[in-house]
């Protein structure tokens, strides 16, 4: 994506985005007289008049958003519906601020409809201050002026001395984020939302090389609590917060998030499956609930392509809808959003927390977010951290349209991830540090998954991966400590086991709250 000064060829695209966004924020919230002045046919002419004041955000050749600036006012700012809730609005507003600084302005302001609560929340999340209601003069196409009530939002800006060759926004407090997996990147996103400037450091990323401890790229991506300890109330809050964010992502294909139906099967003499899990309440309120299915119902036919042998062994099942994240797409999406927001990334390997603290001093960070996953065992000397090794095989199988799994011996699961890509698993080798796919391991996983869904017959294996779930005895470590010498706060956010995707956004929000008092000006 790129920013461009608007040209005449952009006029129709800007008008279309403006009309859709304006209706979204204004219909039912302004007077009928003003509504008549802003009829749908007027937007092309309005856009044409303002081309010289307009900057567009382009995805390929498509306009996904724009802003207009006149004097110190951010006059209009809109994001196309399919690109909303993905960080583009923040990127546009930050670009508008930079543009104003570049022409010597020391403040920016915008007028917001009082009942447009979404817009008001957006400005507040971006650090703008609500100065209350004021009389705003709105102009009609024929030059008449109408006085309307608006909320005035204002942002103080600052610039480098003339001749410095660099322009910046008002300095935002920096936070050093160590780790660039799903936990580190979502934590960085939450920091941006709250007005901080994250500096992300990691020994490797999924973009240009492979790192044995980078588990996120090999996650199955199914939202479902798995291999994590802790109190149910705390886990439920984190998981709920995460579902809410992921649901928003299903409306935007670039995120790689889709909703699927699926089944989790159980075998053996235990009837614990008859009791719904603690997370079923989240499904009930967000995704339609969870159905407990007994053996009698499973015995009728061979549901979902399950083999006769497995069908006889299963005693019950859970049927539910959930969200599936294509991790390669999703991690790339998060990275792109953070880049648009001005994130700083550096590759660096740390051997001790002392080195991390020294780096935080170097980059002038007010706090540290430790999101190092399995690496926290060595970095922090936390012997409660241990690996559960997993293996993921990716195949092409267009006809697999639901997820499934069971608890027979080694776990097995089948997770469709869009475009015919299906993730098969899995292995759960406790305290096994190997990240090498062993001989015949991928073939065995495919063979076992074929018993679970016959639609996999004839599928083509694309790749196999082995990695380490970052588990921790006692559950997620999410707490704030202080550096002994400088008193700099360190927030630890690791130990998510097989729940990185499931808990990420909730834990990220909780982690950022722990440093909120370090810089009240950002909140």
């Amino acid at each position: 994506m790129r920013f461009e000064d608007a040209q005449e060829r952009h006029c129709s695209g800007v008008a279309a985005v403006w009309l859709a966004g304006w209706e979204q924020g204004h219909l039912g919230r302004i007077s009928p007289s003003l509504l008549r002045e802003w009829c749908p046919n007027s937007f092309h002419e309005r856009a044409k008049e303002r081309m010289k004041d307009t900057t567009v955000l382009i995805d390929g050749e498509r306009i996904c958003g724009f802003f207009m600036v006149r004097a110190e006012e951010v006059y209009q700012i809109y994001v196309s519906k399919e690109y909303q809730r993905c960080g583009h609005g923040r990127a546009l507003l930050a670009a508008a601020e930079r543009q104003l600084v570049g022409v010597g302005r020391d403040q920016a302001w915008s007028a917001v409809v009082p009942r447009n609560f979404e817009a008001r929340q957006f400005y507040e999340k971006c650090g703008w201050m609500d100065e209350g209601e004021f009389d705003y003069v709105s102009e009609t196409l024929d030059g008449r002026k109408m006085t309307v009530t608006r909320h005035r939002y204002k942002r103080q800006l600052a610039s480098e001395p003339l001749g410095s060759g660099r322009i910046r926004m008002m300095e935002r407090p920096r936070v050093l984020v160590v780790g660039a997996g799903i936990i580190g990147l979502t934590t960085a996103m939450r920091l941006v939302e709250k007005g901080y400037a994250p500096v992300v450091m990691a020994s490797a990323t999924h973009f240009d090389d492979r790192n044995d401890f980078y588990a996120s790229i090999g996650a199955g991506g199914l939202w479902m609590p798995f291999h994590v300890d802790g109190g149910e109330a705390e886990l439920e809050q984190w998981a709920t917060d995460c579902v809410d964010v992921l649901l928003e992502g299903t409306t935007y294909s670039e995120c790689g998030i889709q909703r699927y139906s699926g089944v989790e099967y159980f075998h053996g003499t235990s009837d614990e499956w008859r009791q719904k899990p603690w997370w079923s309440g989240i499904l009930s309120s967000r995704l339609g609930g969870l159905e407990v299915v007994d053996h009698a119902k499973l015995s009728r036919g061979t549901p979902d392509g399950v083999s006769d042998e497995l069908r006889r062994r299963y005693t019950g099942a859970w049927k539910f809808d959930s969200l599936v994240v294509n991790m390669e797409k999703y991690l790339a999406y998060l990275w792109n959003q953070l880049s648009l927001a001005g994130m700083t990334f550096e590759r660096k390997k740390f051997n001790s927390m002392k080195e991390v603290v020294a780096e935080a001093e170097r980059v002038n960070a007010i706090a540290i977010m430790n999101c190092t996953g399995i690496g926290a065992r060595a970095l922090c000397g936390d012997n409660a951290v241990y690996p559960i090794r997993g293996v993921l095989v990716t195949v092409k199988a267009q006809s697999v349209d639901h997820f499934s799994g069971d608890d027979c011996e080694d776990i097995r699961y089948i997770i469709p991830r869009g475009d015919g890509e299906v993730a098969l698993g899995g292995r759960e080798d406790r305290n096994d540090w190997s990240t090498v796919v062993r001989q015949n391991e991928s073939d065995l996983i495919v063979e076992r998954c074929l018993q679970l869904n016959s639609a996999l017959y004839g599928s083509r294996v694309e790749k196999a991966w082995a990695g380490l779930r970052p588990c921790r005895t006692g559950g997620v470590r999410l707490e704030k400590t202080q550096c002994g010498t400088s008193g700099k706060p360190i927030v630890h956010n690791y130990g998510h086991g097989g729940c990185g995707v499931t808990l990420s956004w909730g834990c990220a929000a909780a982690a950022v709250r722990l440093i909120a008092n370090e810089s009240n000006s950002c909140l």
Side-chain angles (χ1 to χ4, degrees):
M1 292 188 180
R2 63 191 187 278
F3 288 105
E4 291 185 6
D5 292 337
Q7 306 295 324
E8 186 177 347
R9 68 179 186 277
H10 296 133
C11 187
S12 295
V14 168
V17 173
W18 191 356
L19 171 60
W22 189 90
E23 289 183 339
Q24 184 180 354
H26 291 75
L27 293 184
R29 296 168 174 172
I30 62 174
S31 67
S33 59
L34 185 60
L35 186 62
R36 285 192 295 271
E37 296 296 336
W38 286 77
C39 63
N41 295 334
S42 71
F43 282 83
H44 187 276
E45 189 63 31
R46 293 177 187 276
K48 185 178 179 180
E49 287 183 353
R50 290 288 174 184
M51 279 293 100
K52 67 181 186 303
D53 303 323
T54 304
T55 300
V56 292
L57 180 60
I58 304 289
D59 182 9
E61 295 302 319
R62 187 176 188 182
I63 295 175
C64 57
F66 73 91
F67 66 83
M68 297 176 178
V69 171
R70 58 182 186 186
E72 295 178 338
E73 181 186 6
V74 179
Y75 172 57
Q76 303 290 341
I77 179 168
Y78 286 105
V79 179
S80 180
K81 187 173 183 180
E82 57 268 39
Y83 288 88
Q84 290 176 6
R85 300 185 183 278
C86 300
H88 299 308
R90 290 188 293 272
L92 283 161
L93 190 57
E97 292 174 1
R98 290 194 294 270
Q99 186 178 115
L100 287 169
V101 168
V103 295
R105 302 290 184 177
D106 61 3
Q107 69 174 12
W109 66 274
S110 188
V112 183
V113 173
R115 291 177 57 201
N116 190 349
F117 301 115
E118 297 92 336
R120 293 178 61 183
Q121 184 181 57
F122 164 73
Y123 279 105
E124 288 163 11
K125 282 184 175 181
C126 292
W128 288 49
M129 300 297 294
D130 182 4
E131 294 191 322
E133 294 184 345
F134 77 114
D135 290 336
Y136 180 75
V137 178
S138 177
E139 296 182 3
T140 64
L141 277 177
D142 59 9
R144 288 179 292 111
K145 299 183 184 302
M146 299 180 66
T147 301
V148 294
T149 300
R150 294 289 182 264
H151 270 252
R152 181 184 174 98
Y153 278 81
K154 189 172 79 172
R155 174 85 169 178
Q156 287 297 130
L157 308 171
S159 62
E160 296 288 343
L162 290 176
S164 67
R166 185 165 69 93
I167 298 171
R168 63 175 174 85
M169 290 182 294
M170 182 176 64
E171 190 69 23
R172 294 183 176 183
R174 289 185 170 188
V175 177
L176 175 61
V177 180
V178 185
I182 187 67
I183 301 301
L185 294 183
T186 51
T187 299
M189 288 284 284
R190 289 295 196 192
L191 286 166
V192 170
E193 289 176 0
K194 290 298 183 181
Y196 297 96
V199 178
V200 178
M201 294 193 177
S203 59
T205 78
H206 59 288
F207 288 97
D208 47 16
D209 75 358
R210 186 184 183 284
N211 181 278
D212 287 344
F213 288 171
Y214 196 81
S216 295
I217 197 64
L222 175 67
W223 185 95
M224 177 180 170
F226 176 70
H227 276 318
V228 66
D229 299 330
E232 289 185 5
E234 194 171 46
L235 291 174
E236 184 171 3
Q237 183 60 62
W238 295 338
T240 300
D241 290 348
C242 193
V243 162
D244 288 341
V245 176
L246 295 178
L247 275 171
E248 292 177 355
T250 60
T251 64
Y252 184 46
S253 61
E254 190 175 331
C255 293
I257 305 171
Q258 297 185 63
R259 178 172 176 167
Y260 285 95
S261 297
V263 188
E264 179 73 14
Y265 297 99
F266 301 92
H267 82 301
T269 58
S270 172
D271 63 353
E272 290 183 2
W273 56 269
R274 295 184 183 278
Q275 182 69 35
K276 291 185 177 182
W278 59 263
W279 42 272
S280 64
I282 303 173
L283 297 177
S284 296
S285 61
R286 267 78 175 174
L287 291 163
L290 179 147
E291 178 187 0
V292 176
V293 182
D294 61 20
H295 179 75
K297 189 171 182 180
L298 286 176
S299 298
R300 291 193 290 270
T302 54
D304 305 322
V306 178
S307 69
D308 289 342
E309 178 188 352
L310 286 184
R311 179 167 50 85
R312 287 191 294 269
R313 294 178 64 187
Y314 291 147
T315 55
W318 294 337
K319 297 183 71 174
F320 57 97
D321 283 9
S322 192
L323 302 173
V324 174
V325 179
N326 183 311
M327 294 305 293
E328 288 194 16
K329 285 186 176 181
Y330 191 54
L331 292 168
Y333 160 77
L334 292 176
W335 194 270
N336 182 53
Q337 296 309 300
L338 286 166
S339 298
L340 285 171
M343 173 194 72
T344 299
F345 174 80
E346 294 183 29
R347 171 169 294 178
K348 190 156 188 172
K349 181 175 176 59
F350 297 103
N351 295 306
S352 67
M353 285 305 297
K354 183 178 180 180
E355 292 182 2
V356 173
V357 172
E359 189 63 29
E361 294 290 349
R362 183 185 74 82
V363 300
N364 196 31
I366 65 164
I368 297 164
M369 291 289 189
N370 173 22
C371 306
T372 50
I374 199 71
R377 181 181 175 93
L379 187 67
C380 304
D382 189 346
N383 292 327
V385 176
Y386 64 93
I388 295 184
R389 177 177 176 270
V391 177
L392 181 136
V393 179
T394 304
V395 303
K396 284 291 185 180
Q398 296 287 347
S399 56
V400 174
D401 60 0
H402 67 278
F403 64 85
S404 54
D406 69 17
D407 66 343
C408 294
E409 295 91 29
D410 240 342
I411 62 168
R412 74 180 116 199
Y413 56 79
I414 300 169
I415 305 173
R417 303 203 288 191
D419 300 324
E421 180 180 308
V422 183
L424 310 180
R427 305 297 304 176
E428 46 180 348
D429 305 320
R430 186 179 292 261
N431 289 317
D432 185 338
W433 289 85
S434 174
T435 56
V436 176
V437 179
R438 294 166 181 144
Q439 187 176 9
N440 299 324
E441 204 165 32
S442 59
D443 291 339
L444 180 60
I445 287 173
V446 173
E447 180 182 331
R448 294 182 71 241
C449 287
L450 278 168
Q451 295 179 307
L452 191 57
N453 192 333
S454 59
L456 287 169
Y457 278 108
S459 60
R460 185 177 74 255
V461 174
E462 298 286 311
K463 57 187 174 183
W465 176 92
L468 310 175
R469 302 179 183 96
C471 298
R472 184 174 183 271
T473 302
V476 176
R477 185 184 183 191
L478 187 45
E479 64 175 350
K480 181 171 71 173
T481 60
Q482 302 289 138
C483 172
T485 55
S486 67
K488 197 178 296 293
I490 304 171
V491 175
H492 301 280
N493 185 11
Y494 64 82
H496 299 79
C499 281
V501 170
T502 300
L503 302 178
S504 56
W505 285 100
C507 287
V512 173
R513 284 195 293 271
L514 290 176
I515 66 163
N517 292 333
E518 303 300 325
S519 179
N520 290 327
S521 64
C522 290
L523 304 177

